[in-house]
Amino acid sequence: AQSVSQHNHHVILSEAASLELGCNYSYGGTVNLFWYVQYPGQHLQLLLKYFSGDPLVKGIKGFEAEFIKSKFSFNLRKPSVQWSDTAEYFCAVIPYGNNRLAFGKGNQVVVIP
Amino acid sequence: NAGVTQTPKFQVLKTGQSMTLQCAQDMNHEYMSWYRQDPGMGLRLIHYSVGAGITDQGEVPNGYNVSRSTTEDFPLRLLSAAPSQTSVYFCASSYSPGQGRNEQFFGPGTRLTVL
């Protein structure tokens, strides 16, 4: 079964700092990739997704992610975070044609004003 | 569209009690799934369904049953609740994987405590 690894479970940043969250997966075939965000007390919302094409994907709220196939990675970035970006971020992977979405364990990000 | 709805929002059970968590979607999605979220564990797939009448087990199916009699509804049943089932439960739906449109939409969650 595929697995998804997210490192640095807890991240604390000051406003305006840059954010990068790593995501690596173990599946060798074609995959669809997602980053979801969960704000405090809320359900998961999609930040961005990669299905095919340009490996640099832009999402909502200034987030972007880069798919590097050779590294089995899909890292999330934001150049300048805001206090409102405080949330938990989950990377998720589903092999193309598969029914089972696998999630990483999440990154808890706290942005200090 | 209401999207994915879940009831109840909160529930407290005693060990051994049974209950059903409800999930419904109005987007005509074929695929529906149940996850549980525990601190430091991310989301783990319990059961999923690729269409009415078809269900399958996920990563952590023990202690849970599901059925899918309609496209819209996908209830999750706890037959005999245990403290280890204390968690937040999320239902999700999407178009069938493999169609390139399989972004999953999540419900608001049910916070379950088993005493």
Side-chain angles (χ1 to χ4, degrees), chain A residues 9 32 34 36 38 41-46 49 51 88 90 94-106, chain B residues 31 35 37 40-43 45 48 50 57-59 90 97-109:
Chain A
H9 183 65
N32 293 335
F34 307 86
Y36 284 88
Q38 187 178 30
Q42 297 189 25
H43 61 285
L44 277 81
Q45 303 170 43
L46 184 70
K49 58 190 175 187
F51 289 158
E88 192 155 17
F90 294 95
I94 188 167
Y96 190 80
N98 193 291
N99 295 323
R100 297 170 63 145
L101 184 66
F103 280 86
K105 293 186 177 181
Chain B
Y31 183 76
Y35 297 88
Q37 183 181 25
M41 301 293 290
L43 278 83
L45 182 65
Y48 65 95
V50 299
Q57 295 181 349
E59 182 184 355
F90 288 99
Q99 295 182 9
R101 297 184 295 163
N102 58 352
E103 166 197 343
Q104 295 205 10
F105 295 84
F106 285 83

Side-chain angles (χ1 to χ4, degrees), chain B residues 15-112:
Chain B
T15 297
Q17 286 185 315
S18 62
M19 80 159 296
T20 300
L21 308 185
Q22 301 291 345
C23 174
Q25 53 92 10
D26 61 358
M27 296 173 280
N28 203 31
H29 286 162
E30 301 95 341
Y31 183 76
M32 296 186 74
S33 53
W34 277 100
Y35 297 88
R36 59 177 289 172
Q37 183 181 25
D38 302 291
M41 301 293 290
L43 278 83
R44 293 180 292 172
L45 182 65
I46 304 172
H47 285 285
Y48 65 95
S49 169
V50 299
I54 306 170
T55 64
D56 204 348
Q57 295 181 349
E59 182 184 355
V60 288
N62 292 341
Y64 307 96
N65 279 353
V66 292
S67 59
R68 183 99 179 266
S69 56
T70 67
T71 299
E72 294 79 18
D73 301 297
F74 190 46
L76 178 73
R77 295 185 192 84
L78 284 72
L79 298 178
S80 179
S84 60
Q85 294 178 302
T86 293
S87 187
V88 181
Y89 292 85
F90 288 99
C91 179
S93 73
S94 71
Y95 294 109
S96 289
Q99 295 182 9
R101 297 184 295 163
N102 58 352
E103 166 197 343
Q104 295 205 10
F105 295 84
F106 285 83
T110 295
R111 186 174 294 273
L112 176 67

Side-chain angles (χ1 to χ4, degrees), chain A residues 1-5 23-33 67-74 92-102:
Chain A
Q2 68 272 17
S3 68
V4 182
S5 299
C23 174
N24 291 92
Y25 61 94
S26 64
Y27 187 73
T30 300
V31 294
N32 293 335
L33 299 153
F67 171 51
I68 302 178
K69 188 174 182 180
S70 60
K71 295 185 177 180
F72 301 91
S73 69
F74 190 54
V93 176
I94 188 167
Y96 190 80
N98 193 291
N99 295 323
R100 297 170 63 145
L101 184 66

